Amino acid sequence: MAVGLDIAVVTKALAPLVVQLAKGAGTSVGNTLKKWEAATFAKRLAKKLSVADKIKTIWAPDKETSLLSIYYPSKIVFDSKKTSVDSLADLPPGNLVIEGIVGHGKSMLLRYLYLQELSGKGSGKLPIFIELRTLTEKRDLDTHIRDALERMEISVNEEVYDYLLRSGKLVLLLDGFDELDETLIPSTIYRVERLIETYEELQIIVTSRPSSEIKKSRLMNSVNLLGLEKSDYGSFLAKLGVSSAKALEITEAIRKSPSDVSNLITTPLMMTLLVMVYETEHEIPSELPEFFEKLFVTMFSRHDRQKAGFNRKHHSGLSERKLQHFFELFCFITIRYRYGRSLTSEQFGMAFDRACQHTTQGSCDLENFKKDIVQVACLMISEGYDLTTFLHKSIAEYFAAAFVARSTDEFAEKFYAAAVGNYDLWNAVLTFLEKIDSFRYAKYYGLVALSSFVSEMGLEEGAVTPISSWVTYFIRTQPSFGITYAESGAKSDRHHSNSSLDFIPSKFGTYNQNDVSFGGQLHSRLVDAIIQGVTEDLPATFKQEELIESRPLFIEDFDDPNSYKISLASAVQEYGTKGLQGKLLQFESKIWSEIRAFEELVAQEEGKNSILSDGLM
C-alpha cells in the first residue's frame, strides 16, 4: 500500500479537535464556529489540508510525490542532546527557531510536523503552515493567519481570531525566515513577539538558516538541525528508492572520495545531488569544482540516460555548455537584483535581458530559455499564473557562485570588494565560493574584510584589546544598540496572585550592518559576541518595579509597549564587563587564526607561480 496522508485518519484526528474548539467558544464565537460541529466538516477540512502531502522534489521534479512516503527523520541537538524528530512532541517545549544550513531539510521537517499534527500524531493542535517568503507589505503575518483560517471555512472577525489564538489549540509553523523580504524583518519579528506575549498558549515554530535576526529574540529558543551521518546513508538512499546494492556501491564510493567532496554529504540535498551525479557519471567527481560542473549536465541528461542514442533537443538552440554558462549569469543577476526565489514574468524577463547584454555565449529566445530550464532541466518550476520558482533557493546560489568562480581575476576582485560591504546579499554565494574559489575568496574577500576590521579597530596580534576600545567602537558604529527587557509571560511566584511578572531580555538592537565597512559576517559575529557577553553580565530577570526605580538607567521602549531598554554604554558601566571581556577575547583570537589560515592559503597558491620563473620552463 502506498504511503501517504490518509483522509480517514486525518478526519478521525480532526473531528474531536474541531468539536472541542466550537463547544469551548462563547455564544457569538460559537455561532461562527457552529458549522465545525457538522458531521461532514472534519472530512471536508481533511481533504483541503491534505494537499500539503503532495510535493515536487529535486529527485522527481516532474511529478507530485507524497512527502510522507519519502521523508527521512530529522535530528536536532538541544542542550547538547541529540533527538530524532517525529512530531512536535519530540521538540523542546515553547517557541522555537529551528536552524539549519542550505539543504538541511528545514521546510521538509516543518511540513512533516504539519502533516503529523493533522494525522493526530503530534501535540493535538490545529497547525497553521505559512511560507514567510509570501509575506508582503500589504499581506503581513496576521493576514496570512486569517487566510489560513478562512480556508478552513471560518469567518474570521477579531473576536474569533482572538479566541482561536488564545485557545491553546493552534500552532503556527512559519517556514523560511531567511527568505523573508529584508524590509519586512523588523515588523515580522515585532509581530511574532507580540503574538507570543499576548497569547501564552500559542506555540510558534520558525525555521531559518543560521544567524537570522529572529534568533536574537529572547522569546524564542534555538535548536539546530543535525546533518546526515554515515550511518544514515543506507536508510536515506532507500527513501529515494535506491536499491540496497546500489546504495552500498554509492556509500563505498563516498568513503573513497576526496575529503572535499565527501565532507559535503552532510545534508539531504547534497546527498541527493551527489547520487544524481553518480548515477550519470558512475563515479563521484574527484574535485569539488568538478562536482558542481557536472551537476548541471546531470540535471539535463537524467531524463534521457536510459534511452540509447537519444539526445534531447534544447529549445534555446544553445549547446549544453553555453546554456550552463548563460544560466550561471542569469542566477547571478537574480541575486544581484534581489529577485528572490520566485520571479514574476517581468523579473524573469529583466534578468534574461540583462544576461543577454553581458554574455558571449550566443543569443536565444526568452521563452525557449525558460522551457530548457523549467521543462528539460527542471531547475525551476512554473507556479500559478505569473511565477517561475527555483526548485530550491540554493540552486540560484550554487550557479551564481559558479559564475564568479569562472570569471576573470579582474571581475572576481571587483565582486569580492563589493561583497565585503554587502554580505547580506551575497552571504550564501560566498559560502559556496569559499569552497570552489578558495584562493581568490581568501585573497580578495577574507583577508580584505579581516584586515579592514583589524586596521579600523587598531588590533595587534598577541595584545589584548582594552574593553573600552571595543565598547567605544561598537557604540560609535551602532549608537542605537541596546537590550530590551519584556514580560516573560510567567509569574515568578505562582502561589501569590499579586506577584509581579519577571522581565527578561527579549531583544537586542537596533543595529545596522550597513554602518560598518568590514563585512556582514564578521559584524554578525561581533554582535553575537557582544550579546552573549552582555547577557552574562546583566541580571537574568527584573521585576517591573525594579526597572521603573532604575530610571534613567532603564527607559520605556516606545517601539515595544510595556518593555524597558538599557543602552550598551549604561549596561557596561552599571553591571561590569567580565562576561563581555571573555567573549570578545575569543572573538579576537578567532580573527587572528583566520587571518593566518587565509595568508597561508594565498602564499601556497601564489608560490606555484614561481615555478614559471625559476628556470624550469
Side-chain angles (χ1 to χ4, degrees):
M1 180 182 294
V3 178
L5 195 66
D6 190 320
I7 297 297
V9 171
V10 177
T11 303
K12 184 177 179 180
L14 286 175
L17 175 60
V18 297
V19 170
Q20 183 181 3
L21 277 168
K23 288 185 176 179
T27 303
S28 59
V29 175
N31 289 335
T32 302
L33 301 179
K34 200 167 185 61
K35 67 176 68 177
W36 278 27
E37 296 181 279
T40 59
F41 176 75
K43 186 173 183 179
R44 291 203 315 273
L45 181 57
K47 286 183 177 180
K48 282 187 176 185
L49 300 181
S50 65
V51 297
D53 186 40
K54 304 301 179 184
I55 62 171
K56 289 186 177 181
T57 68
I58 198 168
W59 184 253
D62 51 352
K63 65 177 182 180
E64 286 189 334
T65 303
S66 164
L67 184 151
L68 292 176
S69 70
I70 65 168
Y71 180 76
Y72 186 76
S74 296
K75 298 184 184 72
I76 63 166
V77 60
F78 182 74
D79 285 343
S80 302
K81 296 179 181 179
K82 295 182 181 180
T83 305
S84 183
V85 180
D86 192 59
S87 74
L88 283 174
D90 296 321
L91 293 172
N95 304 291
L96 302 172
V97 179
I98 301 176
E99 292 187 295
I101 62 173
V102 174
H104 244 152
K106 300 181 292 295
S107 296
M108 290 278 277
L109 168 61
L110 206 63
R111 197 174 290 272
Y112 177 76
L113 295 176
Y114 174 80
L115 295 173
Q116 289 293 80
E117 287 296 305
L118 294 182
S119 301
K121 300 174 184 176
S123 60
K125 297 179 180 179
L126 187 63
I128 305 293
F129 184 93
I130 295 172
E131 292 181 292
L132 292 175
R133 66 185 175 90
T134 61
L135 269 61
T136 65
E137 285 189 13
K138 295 183 179 179
R139 293 180 55 77
D140 61 8
L141 180 58
D142 285 280
T143 302
H144 278 70
I145 297 172
R146 285 184 167 87
D147 285 350
L149 293 171
E150 287 175 355
R151 286 195 293 273
M152 298 178 191
E153 302 181 27
I154 303 172
S155 299
V156 182
N157 57 35
E158 285 302 319
E159 190 176 6
V160 171
Y161 188 67
D162 181 75
Y163 165 72
L164 291 174
L165 293 181
R166 203 176 293 279
S167 69
K169 296 298 182 181
L170 261 62
V171 55
L172 297 185
L173 304 175
L174 309 181
D175 185 41
F177 191 89
D178 54 285
E179 296 191 40
L180 183 67
D181 187 302
E182 63 178 9
T183 62
L184 302 177
I185 289 175
S187 60
T188 304
I189 292 177
Y190 176 81
R191 188 54 190 148
V192 167
E193 291 181 336
R194 295 292 72 74
L195 287 171
I196 291 172
E197 292 174 340
T198 305
Y199 305 103
E200 294 183 20
E201 301 302 320
L202 175 68
Q203 186 178 24
I204 300 179
I205 310 292
V206 183
T207 62
S208 183
R209 290 185 182 180
S211 301
S212 66
E213 296 303 310
I214 189 67
K215 179 184 177 179
K216 296 184 174 74
S217 171
R218 290 294 167 174
L219 299 182
M220 310 278 295
N221 288 321
S222 296
V223 298
N224 294 311
L225 271 180
L226 291 175
L228 292 177
E229 299 174 325
K230 292 178 181 178
S231 58
D232 295 311
Y233 290 175
S235 299
F236 179 81
L237 292 172
K239 282 290 187 179
L240 291 181
V242 177
S243 68
S244 298
K246 176 67 77 172
L248 185 61
E249 180 184 331
I250 292 172
T251 301
E252 183 64 11
I254 293 173
R255 187 184 69 80
K256 293 180 179 179
S257 66
S259 60
D260 275 358
V261 177
S262 61
N263 287 343
L264 276 178
I265 315 307
T266 59
T267 68
L269 175 65
M270 292 311 302
M271 171 62 93
T272 303
L273 294 175
L274 182 134
V275 171
M276 292 167 66
V277 171
Y278 183 84
E279 289 204 335
T280 300
E281 301 292 328
H282 306 294
E283 66 177 5
I284 294 177
S286 60
E287 299 290 342
L288 193 59
E290 184 184 2
F291 170 78
F292 286 109
E293 187 74 17
K294 289 182 176 178
L295 179 62
F296 187 90
V297 177
T298 297
M299 297 295 281
F300 263 91
S301 64
R302 73 192 189 284
H303 296 290
D304 311 321
R305 57 177 175 257
Q306 295 178 334
K307 304 174 185 178
F310 178 77
N311 289 311
R312 187 181 297 271
K313 181 180 178 181
H314 295 167
H315 299 281
S316 62
L318 298 177
S319 68
E320 207 161 79
R321 179 55 62 88
K322 287 185 176 181
L323 186 59
Q324 177 182 346
H325 291 181
F326 189 84
F327 181 66
E328 291 169 357
L329 174 56
F330 177 85
C331 290
F332 182 87
I333 289 171
T334 64
I335 294 176
R336 161 67 177 81
Y337 289 96
R338 300 180 184 273
Y339 291 151
R341 181 182 170 190
S342 296
L343 280 66
T344 64
S345 295
E346 181 181 7
Q347 289 172 330
F348 194 103
M350 292 172 66
F352 176 83
D353 289 341
R354 286 187 168 109
C356 287
Q357 295 171 12
H358 298 285
T359 186
T360 59
Q361 302 303 323
S363 60
C364 62
D365 175 73
L366 184 151
E367 291 303 322
N368 285 330
F369 168 72
K370 183 181 289 188
K371 285 180 181 178
D372 275 344
I373 300 304
V374 173
Q375 298 177 13
V376 181
C378 301
L379 293 167
M380 302 181 77
I381 58 174
S382 295
E383 288 190 307
Y385 167 69
D386 192 48
L387 289 180
T388 306
T389 300
F390 286 99
L391 192 61
H392 193 280
K393 187 180 180 183
S394 60
I395 294 293
E397 295 160 351
Y398 286 149
F399 289 105
F403 171 75
V404 176
R406 202 187 304 281
S407 67
T408 64
D409 285 347
E410 181 183 6
F411 177 88
E413 186 173 1
K414 290 180 180 178
F415 165 77
Y416 285 120
V420 166
N422 208 354
Y423 177 79
D424 282 353
L425 177 61
W426 296 109
N427 58 2
V429 174
L430 288 165
T431 298
F432 297 127
L433 284 169
E434 186 174 8
K435 295 182 180 296
I436 67 173
D437 194 33
S438 55
F439 165 60
R440 298 193 300 188
Y441 174 93
K443 183 176 182 178
Y444 298 130
Y445 180 78
L447 285 175
V448 171
L450 291 171
S451 298
S452 173
F453 179 65
V454 166
S455 175
E456 191 166 353
M457 275 295 301
L459 304 184
E460 295 182 16
E461 189 171 12
V464 177
T465 305
I467 191 70
S468 58
S469 298
W470 288 109
V471 173
T472 299
Y473 169 79
F474 199 77
I475 292 175
R476 175 171 57 81
T477 59
Q478 306 296 318
S480 299
F481 183 87
I483 303 91
T484 297
Y485 278 75
E487 292 179 3
S488 68
K491 289 183 179 179
S492 59
D493 186 356
R494 290 290 185 180
H495 299 292
H496 297 86
S497 58
N498 293 327
S499 175
S500 64
L501 289 168
D502 285 334
F503 277 64
I504 61 174
S506 65
K507 70 177 182 180
F508 300 86
T510 305
Y511 49 83
N512 184 357
Q513 297 197 20
N514 292 326
D515 288 344
V516 296
S517 61
F518 52 87
Q521 183 189 41
L522 192 56
H523 177 247
S524 180
R525 285 162 46 192
L526 176 57
V527 170
D528 287 344
I530 295 281
I531 289 174
Q532 292 169 18
V534 172
T535 302
E536 287 186 12
D537 294 323
L538 281 164
T541 62
F542 283 99
K543 299 298 183 186
Q544 186 172 23
E545 53 267 29
E546 292 175 323
L547 294 168
I548 294 174
E549 290 171 0
S550 297
R551 292 175 178 170
L553 190 63
F554 285 90
I555 60 172
E556 289 188 63
D557 189 342
F558 296 107
D559 295 326
D560 197 351
N562 202 28
S563 61
Y564 300 84
K565 183 176 180 180
I566 182 173
S567 69
L568 176 62
S570 296
V572 167
Q573 183 175 358
E574 184 71 16
Y575 296 103
T577 61
K578 182 178 179 181
L580 185 59
Q581 284 179 323
K583 296 301 179 183
L584 289 174
L585 186 62
Q586 294 174 13
F587 172 74
E588 187 172 358
S589 177
K590 188 77 184 303
I591 287 175
W592 290 113
S593 64
E594 289 178 357
I595 288 176
R596 294 295 160 257
F598 284 140
E599 287 178 339
E600 182 177 347
L601 174 60
V602 171
Q604 286 178 345
E605 291 299 316
E606 291 185 337
K608 294 176 182 178
N609 294 331
S610 65
I611 297 176
L612 299 176
S613 57
D614 64 3
L616 295 178
M617 300 296 288

